[in-house]
Amino acid sequence: MSPPGRPKGEYRSAEHEGTPMSPPGRPKGENRSAKHEGSPMKHDPHPLHLALGLLLWSVWFVAMYAGLSIACAVHPPPVEAGSATWINAGLGLLTLPTTALLLWAALRCWQSRVPPATAEAGTAARGRFVAQVAAGLYLAAAIGTAMVGLPLAVLPPCV
């Protein structure tokens, strides 16, 4: 229902009369460079990345073996089923995204090892060091996840 004194369907105030509700497109003079659109990281990776990959791997490791132990204690699958069980499917579904996430983080850190042109020499060297070491640690965690998860997914559980 319209407020009294206004035509039916009119809700705008008088101060905005005749002006568009939002400006069309970008403001004049604003040109974004294509090389910066969608770039991996615009700044140095945080030193937290040095521990984050192995921390994520350890959380995955505990979750995998705790879940396997609890599943085998509560509802063990028949031995005749071999590796085609719901436990192996669950372990595989937890392993694949974890490995993919760790590989993605390794790639992003590796891509960010090139410092921005405006960085100082000391800051650029420190950022490059953190990026390279973090990428290596993420890669090591991804390889560890795959090497531990593959046997868990293809061998019969609860044996």
mmCIF file of all heavy atoms in Angstrom, residues 26-80:
data_model
loop_
_atom_site.group_PDB
_atom_site.id
_atom_site.type_symbol
_atom_site.label_atom_id
_atom_site.label_comp_id
_atom_site.label_asym_id
_atom_site.label_seq_id
_atom_site.Cartn_x
_atom_site.Cartn_y
_atom_site.Cartn_z
ATOM 1 N N ARG A 26 31.380 0.613 -14.287
ATOM 2 C CA ARG A 26 32.459 1.179 -13.481
ATOM 3 C C ARG A 26 32.503 2.683 -13.655
ATOM 4 O O ARG A 26 32.126 3.214 -14.706
ATOM 5 C CB ARG A 26 33.792 0.589 -13.915
ATOM 6 C CG ARG A 26 33.940 -0.838 -13.537
ATOM 7 C CD ARG A 26 35.355 -1.271 -13.853
ATOM 8 N NE ARG A 26 35.503 -2.646 -13.431
ATOM 9 C CZ ARG A 26 36.235 -3.536 -14.050
ATOM 10 N NH1 ARG A 26 36.929 -3.208 -15.115
ATOM 11 N NH2 ARG A 26 36.321 -4.757 -13.605
ATOM 12 N N PRO A 27 33.023 3.393 -12.647
ATOM 13 C CA PRO A 27 33.178 4.843 -12.801
ATOM 14 C C PRO A 27 34.159 5.144 -13.927
ATOM 15 O O PRO A 27 35.042 4.353 -14.233
ATOM 16 C CB PRO A 27 33.744 5.294 -11.457
ATOM 17 C CG PRO A 27 33.440 4.196 -10.512
ATOM 18 C CD PRO A 27 33.348 2.945 -11.316
ATOM 19 N N LYS A 28 34.007 6.339 -14.551
ATOM 20 C CA LYS A 28 34.890 6.714 -15.643
ATOM 21 C C LYS A 28 36.322 6.796 -15.129
ATOM 22 O O LYS A 28 36.584 7.273 -14.037
ATOM 23 C CB LYS A 28 34.477 8.065 -16.211
ATOM 24 C CG LYS A 28 33.485 7.963 -17.296
ATOM 25 C CD LYS A 28 33.348 9.281 -18.004
ATOM 26 C CE LYS A 28 32.506 9.057 -19.227
ATOM 27 N NZ LYS A 28 32.284 10.272 -19.945
ATOM 28 N N GLY A 29 37.235 6.306 -15.948
ATOM 29 C CA GLY A 29 38.645 6.379 -15.580
ATOM 30 C C GLY A 29 39.141 5.173 -14.802
ATOM 31 O O GLY A 29 40.337 5.034 -14.589
ATOM 32 N N GLU A 30 38.256 4.306 -14.352
ATOM 33 C CA GLU A 30 38.696 3.125 -13.599
ATOM 34 C C GLU A 30 38.897 1.970 -14.560
ATOM 35 O O GLU A 30 37.967 1.398 -15.090
ATOM 36 C CB GLU A 30 37.662 2.720 -12.545
ATOM 37 C CG GLU A 30 38.138 1.533 -11.740
ATOM 38 C CD GLU A 30 37.100 1.016 -10.764
ATOM 39 O OE1 GLU A 30 36.166 1.755 -10.448
ATOM 40 O OE2 GLU A 30 37.239 -0.128 -10.335
ATOM 41 N N ASN A 31 40.134 1.665 -14.808
ATOM 42 C CA ASN A 31 40.486 0.555 -15.680
ATOM 43 C C ASN A 31 41.281 -0.447 -14.869
ATOM 44 O O ASN A 31 42.351 -0.122 -14.379
ATOM 45 C CB ASN A 31 41.307 1.032 -16.876
ATOM 46 C CG ASN A 31 40.505 1.927 -17.775
ATOM 47 O OD1 ASN A 31 39.318 1.688 -17.956
ATOM 48 N ND2 ASN A 31 41.129 2.954 -18.325
ATOM 49 N N ARG A 32 40.765 -1.647 -14.735
ATOM 50 C CA ARG A 32 41.493 -2.677 -14.020
ATOM 51 C C ARG A 32 42.374 -3.424 -14.994
ATOM 52 O O ARG A 32 41.968 -3.745 -16.100
ATOM 53 C CB ARG A 32 40.531 -3.649 -13.343
ATOM 54 C CG ARG A 32 39.780 -2.993 -12.220
ATOM 55 C CD ARG A 32 39.026 -4.031 -11.462
ATOM 56 N NE ARG A 32 38.288 -3.390 -10.401
ATOM 57 C CZ ARG A 32 37.268 -3.935 -9.788
ATOM 58 N NH1 ARG A 32 36.863 -5.129 -10.141
ATOM 59 N NH2 ARG A 32 36.654 -3.311 -8.831
ATOM 60 N N SER A 33 43.566 -3.725 -14.542
ATOM 61 C CA SER A 33 44.510 -4.452 -15.387
ATOM 62 C C SER A 33 44.120 -5.920 -15.426
ATOM 63 O O SER A 33 43.772 -6.509 -14.415
ATOM 64 C CB SER A 33 45.918 -4.295 -14.819
ATOM 65 O OG SER A 33 46.807 -5.143 -15.494
ATOM 66 N N ALA A 34 44.209 -6.521 -16.592
ATOM 67 C CA ALA A 34 43.854 -7.932 -16.745
ATOM 68 C C ALA A 34 44.842 -8.825 -16.024
ATOM 69 O O ALA A 34 44.504 -9.918 -15.598
ATOM 70 C CB ALA A 34 43.800 -8.303 -18.221
ATOM 71 N N LYS A 35 46.088 -8.388 -15.851
ATOM 72 C CA LYS A 35 47.071 -9.246 -15.203
ATOM 73 C C LYS A 35 46.800 -9.391 -13.713
ATOM 74 O O LYS A 35 47.297 -10.324 -13.097
ATOM 75 C CB LYS A 35 48.487 -8.734 -15.442
ATOM 76 C CG LYS A 35 48.806 -7.434 -14.755
ATOM 77 C CD LYS A 35 50.246 -7.048 -15.009
ATOM 78 C CE LYS A 35 50.574 -5.778 -14.239
ATOM 79 N NZ LYS A 35 51.941 -5.376 -14.370
ATOM 80 N N HIS A 36 46.060 -8.483 -13.098
ATOM 81 C CA HIS A 36 45.764 -8.590 -11.676
ATOM 82 C C HIS A 36 44.438 -9.271 -11.390
ATOM 83 O O HIS A 36 44.162 -9.629 -10.262
ATOM 84 C CB HIS A 36 45.781 -7.211 -11.013
ATOM 85 C CG HIS A 36 47.140 -6.599 -10.997
ATOM 86 N ND1 HIS A 36 48.198 -7.146 -10.334
ATOM 87 C CD2 HIS A 36 47.618 -5.486 -11.604
ATOM 88 C CE1 HIS A 36 49.262 -6.409 -10.508
ATOM 89 N NE2 HIS A 36 48.935 -5.392 -11.280
ATOM 90 N N GLU A 37 43.597 -9.425 -12.395
ATOM 91 C CA GLU A 37 42.310 -10.074 -12.185
ATOM 92 C C GLU A 37 42.517 -11.564 -12.007
ATOM 93 O O GLU A 37 43.071 -12.234 -12.869
ATOM 94 C CB GLU A 37 41.394 -9.824 -13.381
ATOM 95 C CG GLU A 37 41.087 -8.366 -13.615
ATOM 96 C CD GLU A 37 39.747 -7.955 -13.064
ATOM 97 O OE1 GLU A 37 38.942 -8.826 -12.762
ATOM 98 O OE2 GLU A 37 39.522 -6.754 -12.947
ATOM 99 N N GLY A 38 42.135 -12.111 -10.871
ATOM 100 C CA GLY A 38 42.224 -13.535 -10.629
ATOM 101 C C GLY A 38 43.629 -14.044 -10.395
ATOM 102 O O GLY A 38 43.899 -15.218 -10.564
ATOM 103 N N SER A 39 44.567 -13.174 -9.996
ATOM 104 C CA SER A 39 45.931 -13.646 -9.751
ATOM 105 C C SER A 39 45.951 -14.469 -8.463
ATOM 106 O O SER A 39 45.122 -14.274 -7.580
ATOM 107 C CB SER A 39 46.895 -12.466 -9.643
ATOM 108 O OG SER A 39 46.566 -11.647 -8.554
ATOM 109 N N PRO A 40 46.888 -15.423 -8.316
ATOM 110 C CA PRO A 40 46.888 -16.365 -7.203
ATOM 111 C C PRO A 40 46.901 -15.683 -5.831
ATOM 112 O O PRO A 40 45.973 -15.822 -5.073
ATOM 113 C CB PRO A 40 48.152 -17.176 -7.409
ATOM 114 C CG PRO A 40 48.527 -16.983 -8.815
ATOM 115 C CD PRO A 40 47.963 -15.678 -9.243
ATOM 116 N N MET A 41 47.961 -14.990 -5.496
ATOM 117 C CA MET A 41 48.041 -14.274 -4.230
ATOM 118 C C MET A 41 48.663 -12.921 -4.519
ATOM 119 O O MET A 41 49.667 -12.843 -5.211
ATOM 120 C CB MET A 41 48.901 -15.032 -3.218
ATOM 121 C CG MET A 41 48.286 -16.260 -2.658
ATOM 122 S SD MET A 41 49.365 -16.903 -1.363
ATOM 123 C CE MET A 41 48.433 -18.286 -0.834
ATOM 124 N N LYS A 42 48.108 -11.879 -3.958
ATOM 125 C CA LYS A 42 48.616 -10.543 -4.219
ATOM 126 C C LYS A 42 49.663 -10.134 -3.187
ATOM 127 O O LYS A 42 50.228 -9.078 -3.280
ATOM 128 C CB LYS A 42 47.464 -9.564 -4.255
ATOM 129 C CG LYS A 42 46.547 -9.782 -5.430
ATOM 130 C CD LYS A 42 45.395 -8.819 -5.386
ATOM 131 C CE LYS A 42 44.490 -8.950 -6.560
ATOM 132 N NZ LYS A 42 43.907 -10.233 -6.773
ATOM 133 N N HIS A 43 49.898 -10.966 -2.201
ATOM 134 C CA HIS A 43 50.860 -10.641 -1.162
ATOM 135 C C HIS A 43 51.558 -11.917 -0.697
ATOM 136 O O HIS A 43 51.224 -13.009 -1.128
ATOM 137 C CB HIS A 43 50.169 -9.952 0.007
ATOM 138 C CG HIS A 43 48.983 -10.710 0.511
ATOM 139 N ND1 HIS A 43 49.100 -11.795 1.348
ATOM 140 C CD2 HIS A 43 47.666 -10.565 0.278
ATOM 141 C CE1 HIS A 43 47.898 -12.274 1.610
ATOM 142 N NE2 HIS A 43 47.010 -11.551 0.963
ATOM 143 N N ASP A 44 52.531 -11.740 0.162
ATOM 144 C CA ASP A 44 53.285 -12.888 0.663
ATOM 145 C C ASP A 44 52.394 -13.786 1.503
ATOM 146 O O ASP A 44 51.521 -13.307 2.225
ATOM 147 C CB ASP A 44 54.451 -12.405 1.530
ATOM 148 C CG ASP A 44 55.440 -11.585 0.745
ATOM 149 O OD1 ASP A 44 55.524 -11.784 -0.475
ATOM 150 O OD2 ASP A 44 56.122 -10.754 1.354
ATOM 151 N N PRO A 45 52.621 -15.097 1.449
ATOM 152 C CA PRO A 45 51.850 -15.993 2.308
ATOM 153 C C PRO A 45 52.235 -15.803 3.767
ATOM 154 O O PRO A 45 53.379 -15.487 4.087
ATOM 155 C CB PRO A 45 52.210 -17.387 1.800
ATOM 156 C CG PRO A 45 53.473 -17.226 1.057
ATOM 157 C CD PRO A 45 53.508 -15.823 0.561
ATOM 158 N N HIS A 46 51.286 -15.980 4.632
ATOM 159 C CA HIS A 46 51.502 -15.832 6.065
ATOM 160 C C HIS A 46 52.378 -16.969 6.574
ATOM 161 O O HIS A 46 52.284 -18.094 6.079
ATOM 162 C CB HIS A 46 50.140 -15.845 6.773
ATOM 163 C CG HIS A 46 50.200 -15.356 8.169
ATOM 164 N ND1 HIS A 46 50.534 -16.178 9.211
ATOM 165 C CD2 HIS A 46 49.984 -14.126 8.696
ATOM 166 C CE1 HIS A 46 50.517 -15.491 10.331
ATOM 167 N NE2 HIS A 46 50.178 -14.232 10.042
ATOM 168 N N PRO A 47 53.237 -16.726 7.562
ATOM 169 C CA PRO A 47 54.065 -17.803 8.115
ATOM 170 C C PRO A 47 53.262 -18.963 8.701
ATOM 171 O O PRO A 47 53.798 -20.050 8.881
ATOM 172 C CB PRO A 47 54.880 -17.105 9.204
ATOM 173 C CG PRO A 47 54.943 -15.676 8.774
ATOM 174 C CD PRO A 47 53.646 -15.413 8.078
ATOM 175 N N LEU A 48 51.987 -18.757 8.953
ATOM 176 C CA LEU A 48 51.134 -19.841 9.434
ATOM 177 C C LEU A 48 51.076 -20.984 8.422
ATOM 178 O O LEU A 48 50.881 -22.139 8.798
ATOM 179 C CB LEU A 48 49.727 -19.302 9.714
ATOM 180 C CG LEU A 48 48.702 -20.268 10.280
ATOM 181 C CD1 LEU A 48 49.143 -20.751 11.655
ATOM 182 C CD2 LEU A 48 47.351 -19.614 10.367
ATOM 183 N N HIS A 49 51.296 -20.673 7.152
ATOM 184 C CA HIS A 49 51.286 -21.713 6.125
ATOM 185 C C HIS A 49 52.395 -22.743 6.336
ATOM 186 O O HIS A 49 52.307 -23.852 5.835
ATOM 187 C CB HIS A 49 51.427 -21.098 4.734
ATOM 188 C CG HIS A 49 50.189 -20.407 4.268
ATOM 189 N ND1 HIS A 49 49.107 -21.093 3.777
ATOM 190 C CD2 HIS A 49 49.859 -19.101 4.227
ATOM 191 C CE1 HIS A 49 48.162 -20.237 3.451
ATOM 192 N NE2 HIS A 49 48.593 -19.028 3.718
ATOM 193 N N LEU A 50 53.436 -22.376 7.074
ATOM 194 C CA LEU A 50 54.521 -23.319 7.339
ATOM 195 C C LEU A 50 54.052 -24.493 8.192
ATOM 196 O O LEU A 50 54.608 -25.582 8.112
ATOM 197 C CB LEU A 50 55.692 -22.605 8.012
ATOM 198 C CG LEU A 50 56.381 -21.535 7.165
ATOM 199 C CD1 LEU A 50 57.387 -20.774 7.994
ATOM 200 C CD2 LEU A 50 57.013 -22.145 5.946
ATOM 201 N N ALA A 51 53.046 -24.289 9.027
ATOM 202 C CA ALA A 51 52.555 -25.360 9.896
ATOM 203 C C ALA A 51 51.192 -25.890 9.474
ATOM 204 O O ALA A 51 50.808 -26.987 9.871
ATOM 205 C CB ALA A 51 52.467 -24.842 11.332
ATOM 206 N N LEU A 52 50.470 -25.133 8.676
ATOM 207 C CA LEU A 52 49.085 -25.477 8.365
ATOM 208 C C LEU A 52 48.945 -26.781 7.595
ATOM 209 O O LEU A 52 48.033 -27.570 7.853
ATOM 210 C CB LEU A 52 48.435 -24.326 7.591
ATOM 211 C CG LEU A 52 46.934 -24.287 7.577
ATOM 212 C CD1 LEU A 52 46.375 -24.254 8.986
ATOM 213 C CD2 LEU A 52 46.462 -23.068 6.815
ATOM 214 N N GLY A 53 49.833 -27.065 6.656
ATOM 215 C CA GLY A 53 49.738 -28.297 5.871
ATOM 216 C C GLY A 53 49.894 -29.539 6.723
ATOM 217 O O GLY A 53 49.106 -30.483 6.635
ATOM 218 N N LEU A 54 50.915 -29.548 7.577
ATOM 219 C CA LEU A 54 51.131 -30.714 8.438
ATOM 220 C C LEU A 54 50.070 -30.808 9.528
ATOM 221 O O LEU A 54 49.712 -31.905 9.957
ATOM 222 C CB LEU A 54 52.532 -30.668 9.031
ATOM 223 C CG LEU A 54 53.654 -30.773 7.984
ATOM 224 C CD1 LEU A 54 55.011 -30.623 8.635
ATOM 225 C CD2 LEU A 54 53.560 -32.073 7.223
ATOM 226 N N LEU A 55 49.543 -29.668 9.960
ATOM 227 C CA LEU A 55 48.449 -29.688 10.924
ATOM 228 C C LEU A 55 47.204 -30.299 10.293
ATOM 229 O O LEU A 55 46.534 -31.139 10.908
ATOM 230 C CB LEU A 55 48.154 -28.274 11.419
ATOM 231 C CG LEU A 55 47.024 -28.135 12.424
ATOM 232 C CD1 LEU A 55 47.418 -28.782 13.741
ATOM 233 C CD2 LEU A 55 46.697 -26.675 12.632
ATOM 234 N N LEU A 56 46.909 -29.925 9.069
ATOM 235 C CA LEU A 56 45.766 -30.495 8.361
ATOM 236 C C LEU A 56 45.956 -31.994 8.139
ATOM 237 O O LEU A 56 45.032 -32.785 8.306
ATOM 238 C CB LEU A 56 45.571 -29.774 7.025
ATOM 239 C CG LEU A 56 44.320 -30.106 6.241
ATOM 240 C CD1 LEU A 56 43.081 -29.721 7.025
ATOM 241 C CD2 LEU A 56 44.335 -29.370 4.915
ATOM 242 N N TRP A 57 47.180 -32.397 7.782
ATOM 243 C CA TRP A 57 47.466 -33.821 7.604
ATOM 244 C C TRP A 57 47.256 -34.574 8.912
ATOM 245 O O TRP A 57 46.671 -35.661 8.916
ATOM 246 C CB TRP A 57 48.903 -34.025 7.110
ATOM 247 C CG TRP A 57 49.274 -35.465 7.067
ATOM 248 C CD1 TRP A 57 48.997 -36.353 6.071
ATOM 249 C CD2 TRP A 57 49.940 -36.216 8.086
ATOM 250 N NE1 TRP A 57 49.463 -37.604 6.404
ATOM 251 C CE2 TRP A 57 50.043 -37.541 7.640
ATOM 252 C CE3 TRP A 57 50.466 -35.885 9.331
ATOM 253 C CZ2 TRP A 57 50.658 -38.538 8.394
ATOM 254 C CZ3 TRP A 57 51.076 -36.868 10.080
ATOM 255 C CH2 TRP A 57 51.166 -38.186 9.600
ATOM 256 N N SER A 58 47.707 -34.029 10.029
ATOM 257 C CA SER A 58 47.566 -34.741 11.308
ATOM 258 C C SER A 58 46.099 -34.852 11.730
ATOM 259 O O SER A 58 45.693 -35.878 12.275
ATOM 260 C CB SER A 58 48.399 -34.068 12.404
ATOM 261 O OG SER A 58 47.924 -32.774 12.663
ATOM 262 N N VAL A 59 45.297 -33.830 11.461
ATOM 263 C CA VAL A 59 43.861 -33.912 11.756
ATOM 264 C C VAL A 59 43.222 -34.994 10.894
ATOM 265 O O VAL A 59 42.421 -35.803 11.369
ATOM 266 C CB VAL A 59 43.186 -32.539 11.543
ATOM 267 C CG1 VAL A 59 41.672 -32.656 11.555
ATOM 268 C CG2 VAL A 59 43.646 -31.552 12.598
ATOM 269 N N TRP A 60 43.595 -35.045 9.607
ATOM 270 C CA TRP A 60 43.087 -36.089 8.712
ATOM 271 C C TRP A 60 43.504 -37.468 9.218
ATOM 272 O O TRP A 60 42.693 -38.398 9.242
ATOM 273 C CB TRP A 60 43.622 -35.860 7.299
ATOM 274 C CG TRP A 60 43.390 -37.021 6.392
ATOM 275 C CD1 TRP A 60 42.258 -37.292 5.691
ATOM 276 C CD2 TRP A 60 44.288 -38.095 6.129
ATOM 277 N NE1 TRP A 60 42.414 -38.471 4.991
ATOM 278 C CE2 TRP A 60 43.660 -38.977 5.248
ATOM 279 C CE3 TRP A 60 45.590 -38.387 6.553
ATOM 280 C CZ2 TRP A 60 44.274 -40.130 4.780
ATOM 281 C CZ3 TRP A 60 46.197 -39.535 6.091
ATOM 282 C CH2 TRP A 60 45.539 -40.391 5.213
ATOM 283 N N PHE A 61 44.758 -37.623 9.626
ATOM 284 C CA PHE A 61 45.280 -38.902 10.078
ATOM 285 C C PHE A 61 44.518 -39.410 11.306
ATOM 286 O O PHE A 61 44.102 -40.571 11.361
ATOM 287 C CB PHE A 61 46.771 -38.745 10.417
ATOM 288 C CG PHE A 61 47.489 -40.023 10.683
ATOM 289 C CD1 PHE A 61 47.960 -40.796 9.643
ATOM 290 C CD2 PHE A 61 47.708 -40.455 11.984
ATOM 291 C CE1 PHE A 61 48.631 -41.981 9.885
ATOM 292 C CE2 PHE A 61 48.380 -41.631 12.239
ATOM 293 C CZ PHE A 61 48.842 -42.399 11.184
ATOM 294 N N VAL A 62 44.307 -38.542 12.275
ATOM 295 C CA VAL A 62 43.571 -38.927 13.487
ATOM 296 C C VAL A 62 42.124 -39.262 13.144
ATOM 297 O O VAL A 62 41.569 -40.249 13.637
ATOM 298 C CB VAL A 62 43.658 -37.810 14.558
ATOM 299 C CG1 VAL A 62 42.694 -38.057 15.697
ATOM 300 C CG2 VAL A 62 45.091 -37.698 15.075
ATOM 301 N N ALA A 63 41.495 -38.452 12.286
ATOM 302 C CA ALA A 63 40.100 -38.710 11.902
ATOM 303 C C ALA A 63 39.972 -40.039 11.162
ATOM 304 O O ALA A 63 39.020 -40.801 11.391
ATOM 305 C CB ALA A 63 39.571 -37.566 11.040
ATOM 306 N N MET A 64 40.936 -40.345 10.300
ATOM 307 C CA MET A 64 40.879 -41.602 9.542
ATOM 308 C C MET A 64 40.968 -42.816 10.474
ATOM 309 O O MET A 64 40.143 -43.721 10.405
ATOM 310 C CB MET A 64 42.042 -41.663 8.536
ATOM 311 C CG MET A 64 41.894 -40.728 7.385
ATOM 312 S SD MET A 64 40.598 -41.203 6.274
ATOM 313 C CE MET A 64 41.393 -42.518 5.410
ATOM 314 N N TYR A 65 41.982 -42.833 11.311
ATOM 315 C CA TYR A 65 42.168 -44.015 12.149
ATOM 316 C C TYR A 65 41.150 -44.101 13.276
ATOM 317 O O TYR A 65 40.742 -45.192 13.664
ATOM 318 C CB TYR A 65 43.605 -44.085 12.654
ATOM 319 C CG TYR A 65 44.501 -44.668 11.609
ATOM 320 C CD1 TYR A 65 45.365 -43.873 10.875
ATOM 321 C CD2 TYR A 65 44.430 -46.029 11.305
ATOM 322 C CE1 TYR A 65 46.156 -44.414 9.893
ATOM 323 C CE2 TYR A 65 45.222 -46.571 10.314
ATOM 324 C CZ TYR A 65 46.088 -45.768 9.611
ATOM 325 O OH TYR A 65 46.868 -46.307 8.621
ATOM 326 N N ALA A 66 40.714 -42.968 13.796
ATOM 327 C CA ALA A 66 39.656 -43.002 14.805
ATOM 328 C C ALA A 66 38.354 -43.483 14.176
ATOM 329 O O ALA A 66 37.640 -44.321 14.754
ATOM 330 C CB ALA A 66 39.470 -41.618 15.421
ATOM 331 N N GLY A 67 38.040 -42.974 12.992
ATOM 332 C CA GLY A 67 36.824 -43.421 12.305
ATOM 333 C C GLY A 67 36.877 -44.885 11.938
ATOM 334 O O GLY A 67 35.883 -45.613 12.087
ATOM 335 N N LEU A 68 38.032 -45.346 11.491
ATOM 336 C CA LEU A 68 38.193 -46.766 11.152
ATOM 337 C C LEU A 68 38.018 -47.643 12.390
ATOM 338 O O LEU A 68 37.317 -48.658 12.351
ATOM 339 C CB LEU A 68 39.564 -46.998 10.523
ATOM 340 C CG LEU A 68 39.916 -48.433 10.148
ATOM 341 C CD1 LEU A 68 38.976 -48.936 9.064
ATOM 342 C CD2 LEU A 68 41.360 -48.518 9.697
ATOM 343 N N SER A 69 38.617 -47.250 13.487
ATOM 344 C CA SER A 69 38.513 -48.039 14.725
ATOM 345 C C SER A 69 37.089 -48.083 15.252
ATOM 346 O O SER A 69 36.600 -49.140 15.659
ATOM 347 C CB SER A 69 39.449 -47.458 15.789
ATOM 348 O OG SER A 69 40.771 -47.487 15.335
ATOM 349 N N ILE A 70 36.431 -46.948 15.246
ATOM 350 C CA ILE A 70 35.054 -46.904 15.747
ATOM 351 C C ILE A 70 34.128 -47.694 14.830
ATOM 352 O O ILE A 70 33.264 -48.451 15.305
ATOM 353 C CB ILE A 70 34.583 -45.444 15.886
ATOM 354 C CG1 ILE A 70 35.358 -44.767 17.017
ATOM 355 C CG2 ILE A 70 33.085 -45.362 16.137
ATOM 356 C CD1 ILE A 70 35.147 -43.271 17.109
ATOM 357 N N ALA A 71 34.297 -47.548 13.514
ATOM 358 C CA ALA A 71 33.452 -48.288 12.576
ATOM 359 C C ALA A 71 33.655 -49.792 12.715
ATOM 360 O O ALA A 71 32.687 -50.566 12.661
ATOM 361 C CB ALA A 71 33.748 -47.849 11.145
ATOM 362 N N CYS A 72 34.894 -50.229 12.917
ATOM 363 C CA CYS A 72 35.152 -51.665 13.076
ATOM 364 C C CYS A 72 34.612 -52.186 14.404
ATOM 365 O O CYS A 72 34.214 -53.345 14.497
ATOM 366 C CB CYS A 72 36.649 -51.943 12.973
ATOM 367 S SG CYS A 72 37.265 -51.817 11.284
ATOM 368 N N ALA A 73 34.578 -51.361 15.428
ATOM 369 C CA ALA A 73 34.054 -51.788 16.727
ATOM 370 C C ALA A 73 32.529 -51.809 16.739
ATOM 371 O O ALA A 73 31.919 -52.694 17.341
ATOM 372 C CB ALA A 73 34.562 -50.864 17.823
ATOM 373 N N VAL A 74 31.897 -50.877 16.077
ATOM 374 C CA VAL A 74 30.445 -50.753 16.123
ATOM 375 C C VAL A 74 29.761 -51.671 15.103
ATOM 376 O O VAL A 74 28.830 -52.397 15.438
ATOM 377 C CB VAL A 74 30.028 -49.279 15.882
ATOM 378 C CG1 VAL A 74 28.528 -49.150 15.746
ATOM 379 C CG2 VAL A 74 30.525 -48.402 17.005
ATOM 380 N N HIS A 75 30.204 -51.613 13.852
ATOM 381 C CA HIS A 75 29.532 -52.376 12.796
ATOM 382 C C HIS A 75 30.563 -52.873 11.784
ATOM 383 O O HIS A 75 30.705 -52.296 10.696
ATOM 384 C CB HIS A 75 28.487 -51.494 12.111
ATOM 385 C CG HIS A 75 27.651 -52.215 11.117
ATOM 386 N ND1 HIS A 75 26.796 -53.224 11.455
ATOM 387 C CD2 HIS A 75 27.538 -52.075 9.769
ATOM 388 C CE1 HIS A 75 26.192 -53.673 10.358
ATOM 389 N NE2 HIS A 75 26.644 -52.983 9.325
ATOM 390 N N PRO A 76 31.286 -53.941 12.097
ATOM 391 C CA PRO A 76 32.298 -54.424 11.152
ATOM 392 C C PRO A 76 31.651 -55.068 9.930
ATOM 393 O O PRO A 76 30.656 -55.777 10.049
ATOM 394 C CB PRO A 76 33.077 -55.459 11.963
ATOM 395 C CG PRO A 76 32.151 -55.890 13.033
ATOM 396 C CD PRO A 76 31.251 -54.736 13.326
ATOM 397 N N PRO A 77 32.191 -54.805 8.746
ATOM 398 C CA PRO A 77 31.644 -55.417 7.530
ATOM 399 C C PRO A 77 32.070 -56.890 7.456
ATOM 400 O O PRO A 77 33.030 -57.301 8.099
ATOM 401 C CB PRO A 77 32.277 -54.608 6.403
ATOM 402 C CG PRO A 77 33.527 -54.079 6.982
ATOM 403 C CD PRO A 77 33.280 -53.876 8.440
ATOM 404 N N PRO A 78 31.383 -57.695 6.673
ATOM 405 C CA PRO A 78 31.786 -59.103 6.531
ATOM 406 C C PRO A 78 33.158 -59.211 5.851
ATOM 407 O O PRO A 78 33.487 -58.429 4.977
ATOM 408 C CB PRO A 78 30.683 -59.725 5.668
ATOM 409 C CG PRO A 78 29.986 -58.579 5.040
ATOM 410 C CD PRO A 78 30.189 -57.382 5.907
ATOM 411 N N VAL A 79 33.930 -60.201 6.271
ATOM 412 C CA VAL A 79 35.276 -60.387 5.736
ATOM 413 C C VAL A 79 35.228 -60.745 4.256
ATOM 414 O O VAL A 79 36.124 -60.371 3.490
ATOM 415 C CB VAL A 79 36.014 -61.479 6.555
ATOM 416 C CG1 VAL A 79 37.396 -61.729 5.996
ATOM 417 C CG2 VAL A 79 36.087 -61.072 8.010
ATOM 418 N N GLU A 80 34.167 -61.443 3.824
ATOM 419 C CA GLU A 80 34.043 -61.855 2.424
ATOM 420 C C GLU A 80 33.929 -60.667 1.479
ATOM 421 O O GLU A 80 34.186 -60.793 0.278
ATOM 422 C CB GLU A 80 32.810 -62.741 2.211
ATOM 423 C CG GLU A 80 32.731 -63.971 3.077
ATOM 424 C CD GLU A 80 32.148 -63.661 4.457
ATOM 425 O OE1 GLU A 80 31.160 -62.899 4.560
ATOM 426 O OE2 GLU A 80 32.690 -64.178 5.430
#
